[in-house]
Amino acid sequence: MRGGSLQNVWKLWYREPAPIEPPAANAWQNSPGWVRALPIGNGKLGAMIYGGIEEERIQLNEDSLWSGHPQEADNPHAPQFLPEIRRLLFEGKYAEAQRLTAEKFVCLGEGSGHGRGANVPFGCYQMLGDLRLRFMHRAGATDYRRELDLETGVARVEYRVGQVEYTREHFASLHENVIVIRLTSDKRGELNFEATLSRPERAETTTSENQILLSGELNGGLRFAARLLVLCEDGTVRVDGRVLHVQQATVVTLLIGAATTYRARKPAAATASSLARARQQGYRQLRNSHVERYRRLFARVHLSLGGEDRAALPIDERLERVKRGEPDPHLCALYFQFARYLMICSSQPGSLPANLQGVWADGIQTPWNCDYHTNINVQMNYWIAETGALPECTDPLIDFIERLCEPGRKTARVHYGLSGWVVHTVTNLWGFTSPGEHPAWGQFPAAAGWLCQHLWERYAFSLDKGILKRVYPVMKEAAEFYLGFLTPEPRYGWLVTAPSVSPENSFRTTDGQVVSVCYGPTADMQILRELFTNCIEASRILGVDEEFRKRLEEARSRLAPMQIGKHGQLQEWIEDFEENEPGHRHISHLYGLHPGNQITPRGTPELAKAARVSLERRLAHGGGHTGWSRAWLINLWARLEDGEKAHENLIALLQRSTLPNLFDNHPPFQIDGNFGGAAGIAEMLVQSHVGEVHLLPALPKIWHKGCAKGLCVRGGAQIDIFWRDGKVYRATLFPAGGRTFRIRLPDGQRIVRVTCEGRRTPFQTNDDGTITLKTQKRGKPYDLIVQ
């Protein structure tokens, strides 16, 4: 356990506990202990393990623990002001248009509470509570170690006090909806501790025999319960008020269950049932079933970039060395796999989708309500799911999008007088789909289209027509809204969105005013062009909606095009405005480069060149200063096939925006950067967004030798890639069935032979250096021999 680097390769490990602290009073600032604690989760439940010695804090979460309630936020008077807002925009009176939009076209009520919605109807995601353990050790601890094993999904703490070795194991069971903690001492009867459950507000505790029940009701009416069950193999459990005392035990198992009225009519009864089921299985079966199910997900992908000897050092020390400029390729691979771990832990079938902090949050008023920001953040959370071979982890997002349709239809009808469905910048557990409370950030009607990209991607990676049949109606309804919302602008007759914004950014008008509300921002046009294209293709595949398809084709042909501005940059707005903040964190006008596919180095070289200029300008003015923004930059540079720039930004993400427990730092902590950074690593190794599988499109020189196994590509396949001296020497394609693949290698390389089960397989070599390979329905692996 305490051995060399090989035993630590896929572990986050540390030589000391995270500092123990009370629940965050100001969650907008990272608390020193929380950003060193280790996360566990199963989609519905989450916990942060501090690893304290005399005192332990295990901070708990339940994914549906939201204050607030559904609200009537759609503005029935808004449609009458739409023509005037558009007139002002088209006449170049942007500041007047923004003022009118702010007065007449925002949501009713308090909206999201400007990101502080705990006590308004919007609500916020909150901590469930704390499990506190106080140990009666008689001396100081030595040989301390805590770790998170990414290969098992189990967090572990061990240390020695005198002649006694103490061990704790923690996991959030993927098999049963409980958190499991196992405490042991290697000398009989040496476990003595107190246990409490608590919450800063709106909760009370009751104890009975070997249980503590924490229950309460949040602002808005959601009721919740958390239950601790203490199981001793020997020793005693004694109740003293709100405290459970464990004395002279050797092995103790703690089971924690939680529920809310979002899913359970009687949360306390639901927790009792879940703990009863878990208790019947016993610790060993609980652990084995969890690890088995976890490994079925995690082990699908393996990544080696070299430098595994660095695993002999703890994570915090490795991060400090990277900050000093020392190379650590293995830390990049570990970061990638940690993001996949976080995806497994925070988004499972039946759970809610990962929010701004996944499933982990401390305190009551969490940053930006820990909500679902739909102008990039929740989407970025899922960039790694498909390529990272975790497609079932997207189920909660698809479910969530489907649930948004009903309130989104009401917003479309009431707020715009249109059919279809729409959502704007922020949403929550309660289905908020109205514009935000200020148009500068809240008037982003293209969010539904962006969400729909993930519906199409779920099909594109699987080619499962059953999935397409399920998601196409959602995509179609979103497209219906945009067909009604689009309007011709006066100069060229282009169809544009109006009013809208380029997410959270602002520009300077010719008379020097700083505004955000505009018409036809580039991001909107890219998103709608993509949505219409995907709907057109889906209708063809499914053989439905021919007339609707023609309407989409006609509208698509009239959308405002992408334009190149005076600096050689891709314009962010329909006019070549100066940016008010040239280093802005959002880079929305490059949606067409990533996560979209409308800008490519070979397909649209002039637009790709303009995108590069936009990136260079952003970075020259301090862009990428938030974690998720830096993560986006990795993906964008990878799509431009610039491996050195992509790697430079990956290292900047580790140096400037990564916390001691590898959580991403906005600041404060935001999980999207973890997922986005991992997605960028995958994009550096394989891309499949333009109808071909491109191997090592953006490999940096420092990753001169390595392998990536199990990454998924569009078209329904996984791929293994092996390289040395920066060149592919072997690859294996694992198609799900009979498919046709176009495959591209790095410049200067070619595929000389393809075999399947040892037999040569014919393929076609194309003029552009790619090959076309047709695979058989039985889905056998195809080995690609490369020169």
Side-chain angles (χ1 to χ4, degrees):
M1 185 65 188
R2 301 175 185 275
S5 59
L6 291 180
Q7 293 175 304
N8 296 322
V9 168
W10 300 117
K11 292 176 181 175
L12 282 65
W13 74 275
Y14 304 82
R15 292 191 172 106
E16 66 278 321
I20 303 299
E21 60 203 356
N26 179 10
W28 293 84
Q29 295 180 353
N30 290 318
S31 54
W34 203 85
V35 300
R36 288 170 171 80
L38 294 172
I40 60 173
N42 65 4
K44 293 179 181 177
L45 299 178
M48 297 293 288
I49 313 301
Y50 281 64
I53 300 171
E54 286 82 15
E55 182 184 1
E56 169 66 311
R57 181 191 185 200
I58 297 175
Q59 187 261 307
L60 304 170
N61 289 104
E62 200 276 350
D63 71 331
S64 65
L65 198 81
W66 268 79
S67 64
H69 55 79
Q71 58 179 305
E72 291 291 337
D74 300 324
N75 185 352
H77 303 294
Q80 64 183 287
F81 296 99
L82 186 56
E84 178 63 9
I85 293 169
R86 286 175 167 174
R87 182 187 69 79
L88 292 170
L89 289 171
F90 293 154
E91 291 179 3
K93 300 175 181 178
Y94 291 97
E96 292 181 45
Q98 179 157 309
R99 282 194 293 271
L100 184 59
T101 305
E103 292 170 5
K104 304 295 184 181
F105 212 74
V106 295
C107 62
L108 297 180
E110 298 172 89
S112 70
H114 296 282
R116 298 177 183 270
N119 295 310
V120 302
F122 188 91
C124 80
Y125 182 62
Q126 303 181 4
M127 70 178 295
L128 172 63
D130 275 341
L131 169 63
R132 298 276 181 158
L133 305 176
R134 190 164 69 90
F135 294 91
M136 289 33 171
H137 294 316
R138 293 187 293 271
T142 59
D143 298 335
Y144 181 91
R145 177 186 171 106
R146 65 186 173 98
E147 67 177 31
L148 174 62
D149 188 343
L150 299 185
E151 292 187 296
T152 62
V154 176
R156 184 178 172 93
V157 176
E158 60 181 28
Y159 55 89
R160 183 175 293 276
V161 176
Q163 299 301 310
V164 183
E165 183 171 336
Y166 293 94
T167 304
R168 304 177 213 151
E169 288 193 328
H170 321 70
F171 58 91
S173 173
L174 288 174
H175 193 266
E176 300 291 342
N177 191 34
V178 294
I179 290 171
V180 184
I181 304 169
R182 178 80 151 185
L183 303 94
T184 62
S185 65
D186 70 344
K187 299 289 189 298
R188 187 172 181 82
E190 291 292 333
L191 269 177
N192 298 279
F193 64 90
E194 299 172 354
T196 60
L197 275 181
S198 61
R199 190 175 192 274
E201 65 175 42
R202 296 179 180 270
E204 61 180 19
T205 57
T206 57
T207 55
S208 59
E209 296 182 1
N210 58 349
Q211 297 190 34
I212 304 177
L213 176 65
L214 175 77
S215 59
E217 182 174 323
L218 298 189
N219 170 52
L222 182 125
R223 291 182 288 112
F224 64 91
R227 189 183 298 268
L228 169 68
L229 175 63
V230 179
L231 302 173
C232 296
E233 294 189 5
D234 57 1
T236 62
V237 182
R238 178 173 57 86
V239 176
D240 181 9
R242 298 177 180 178
V243 182
L244 293 182
H245 297 263
V246 176
Q247 296 175 319
Q248 296 181 335
T250 309
V251 179
V252 179
T253 300
L254 307 181
L255 301 178
I256 305 166
T260 77
T261 47
Y262 180 74
R263 296 189 181 96
R265 190 167 61 89
K266 297 180 179 180
T271 61
S273 297
S274 63
L275 294 188
R277 288 193 301 270
R279 180 177 188 172
Q280 287 181 340
Q281 295 182 46
Y283 177 76
R284 189 52 52 191
Q285 184 177 339
L286 283 170
R287 190 186 193 280
N288 289 345
S289 60
H290 163 73
V291 171
E292 179 185 1
R293 183 166 294 191
Y294 173 81
R295 280 178 170 163
R296 285 205 300 265
L297 299 170
F298 183 80
R300 292 171 182 170
V301 173
H302 173 75
L303 178 61
S304 174
L305 301 174
E308 285 81 2
D309 58 312
R310 285 300 178 101
L313 297 173
I315 291 297
D316 46 356
E317 292 184 29
R318 294 172 71 180
L319 278 172
E320 289 302 316
R321 291 186 178 214
V322 169
K323 289 176 182 178
R324 295 196 297 265
E326 296 184 22
D328 192 342
H330 177 256
L331 186 59
C332 298
L334 185 69
Y335 188 92
F336 172 84
Q337 292 288 39
F338 179 59
R340 294 183 66 246
Y341 167 82
L342 294 177
M343 175 57 62
I344 294 168
C345 292
S346 62
S347 188
Q348 284 291 306
S351 78
L352 290 166
N355 62 39
L356 284 174
Q357 294 188 184
V359 73
W360 302 277
D362 194 11
I364 301 300
Q365 178 55 72
T366 46
W368 294 283
N369 300 317
C370 248
D371 66 14
Y372 302 98
H373 268 50
T374 52
N375 63 357
I376 185 172
N377 309 96
V378 73
Q379 292 94 333
M380 183 182 283
N381 282 358
Y382 287 88
W383 284 355
I384 188 56
E386 297 290 352
T387 308
L390 297 171
E392 55 270 86
C393 291
T394 66
D395 287 355
L397 180 64
I398 295 173
D399 295 341
F400 189 71
I401 295 169
E402 289 177 328
R403 289 196 298 272
L404 285 178
C405 288
E406 183 176 348
R409 291 184 195 108
K410 179 174 173 291
T411 298
R413 183 178 68 254
V414 173
H415 205 96
Y416 292 91
L418 297 172
S419 60
W421 75 277
V422 67
V423 64
H424 295 79
T425 307
V426 294
T427 188
N428 59 10
L429 183 71
W430 314 114
F432 184 91
T433 53
S434 309
E437 55 268 29
H438 195 285
W441 58 266
Q443 183 55 38
F444 181 58
W450 194 334
L451 287 171
C452 284
Q453 183 194 57
H454 290 265
L455 305 181
W456 174 259
E457 289 286 75
R458 187 71 191 87
Y459 166 74
F461 275 88
S462 66
L463 298 189
D464 184 336
K465 283 190 179 180
I467 290 172
L468 191 61
K469 287 178 182 178
R470 174 186 173 184
V471 302
Y472 170 66
V474 179
M475 298 165 57
K476 178 184 175 182
E477 269 200 89
E480 284 176 341
F481 170 81
Y482 296 120
L483 287 175
F485 184 57
L486 287 166
T487 188
E489 54 82 40
R491 180 178 298 181
Y492 302 107
W494 295 332
L495 291 180
V496 296
T497 52
S500 189
V501 295
S502 187
E504 301 183 35
N505 206 356
S506 58
F507 57 91
R508 292 187 178 274
T509 62
T510 53
D511 59 357
Q513 298 187 73
V514 177
V515 293
S516 298
V517 173
C518 62
Y519 66 92
T522 299
D524 282 16
M525 298 297 97
Q526 294 169 338
I527 290 169
L528 267 57
R529 187 174 291 109
E530 175 187 78
L531 174 63
F532 290 179
T533 298
N534 292 341
C535 284
I536 290 165
E537 183 63 17
S539 72
R540 285 181 178 143
I541 294 168
L542 298 175
V544 297
D545 293 330
E546 183 177 355
E547 290 304 314
F548 183 69
R549 186 190 318 155
K550 291 178 181 178
R551 289 177 60 203
L552 290 175
E553 290 171 338
E554 194 276 334
R556 183 180 61 176
S557 70
R558 296 177 57 197
L559 291 175
M562 290 180 275
Q563 302 175 82
I564 298 174
K566 54 182 172 290
H567 303 292
Q569 89 286 6
L570 190 71
Q571 285 183 202
E572 187 162 356
W573 295 276
I574 201 163
E575 295 186 60
D576 195 7
F577 292 121
E578 288 292 345
E579 299 159 302
N580 181 55
E581 188 182 339
H584 198 270
R585 61 194 177 278
H586 283 265
I587 323 165
S588 304
H589 54 308
L590 299 190
Y591 178 99
L593 177 61
H594 183 278
N597 62 3
Q598 297 165 49
I599 302 172
T600 64
R602 275 171 287 279
T604 59
E606 291 303 314
L607 290 176
K609 181 180 178 181
R612 175 179 284 271
V613 172
S614 290
L615 280 175
E616 291 169 344
R617 283 175 55 80
R618 273 291 200 272
L619 286 165
H621 290 87
H625 51 277
T626 68
W628 64 262
S629 181
R630 183 68 67 178
W632 198 356
L633 291 170
I634 301 167
N635 289 271
L636 291 165
W637 284 117
R639 286 284 176 92
L640 289 174
E641 301 178 14
D642 191 328
E644 300 311 313
K645 284 290 186 182
H647 182 262
E648 177 185 314
N649 281 276
L650 174 59
I651 297 305
L653 180 67
L654 293 172
Q655 291 175 330
R656 304 174 195 174
S657 299
T658 299
L659 296 162
N661 60 0
L662 293 191
F663 271 171
D664 173 70
N665 199 18
H666 180 282
F669 160 57
Q670 236 176 250
I671 205 167
D672 40 18
N674 287 104
F675 296 133
I681 293 171
E683 290 284 340
M684 295 164 74
L685 300 174
V686 64
Q687 296 176 14
S688 61
H689 57 288
V690 290
E692 63 183 35
V693 178
H694 190 174
L695 309 187
L696 305 188
L699 187 75
K701 292 177 182 178
I702 194 170
W703 297 351
H704 54 86
K705 180 181 179 181
C707 68
K709 300 179 182 179
L711 293 176
C712 291
V713 296
R714 294 166 185 84
Q718 290 182 274
I719 193 156
D720 295 350
I721 311 168
F722 303 84
W723 68 91
R724 55 176 171 251
D725 300 323
K727 295 182 179 181
V728 180
Y729 67 87
R730 181 164 63 88
T732 304
L733 187 72
F734 299 86
R739 307 280 194 267
T740 298
F741 294 92
R742 194 178 182 94
I743 302 171
R744 179 181 296 277
L745 292 177
D747 290 344
Q749 292 199 267
R750 62 190 182 95
I751 295 172
V752 295
R753 187 168 72 253
V754 177
T755 63
C756 179
E757 297 181 316
R759 298 179 180 178
R760 281 182 175 262
T761 300
F763 62 90
Q764 174 184 318
T765 301
N766 304 309
D767 293 340
D768 62 356
T770 62
I771 72 157
T772 300
L773 174 67
K774 293 184 178 181
T775 66
Q776 301 300 312
K777 291 183 179 180
R778 64 183 184 273
K780 299 292 184 180
Y782 288 76
D783 293 311
L784 314 178
I785 312 303
V786 179
Q787 283 186 352

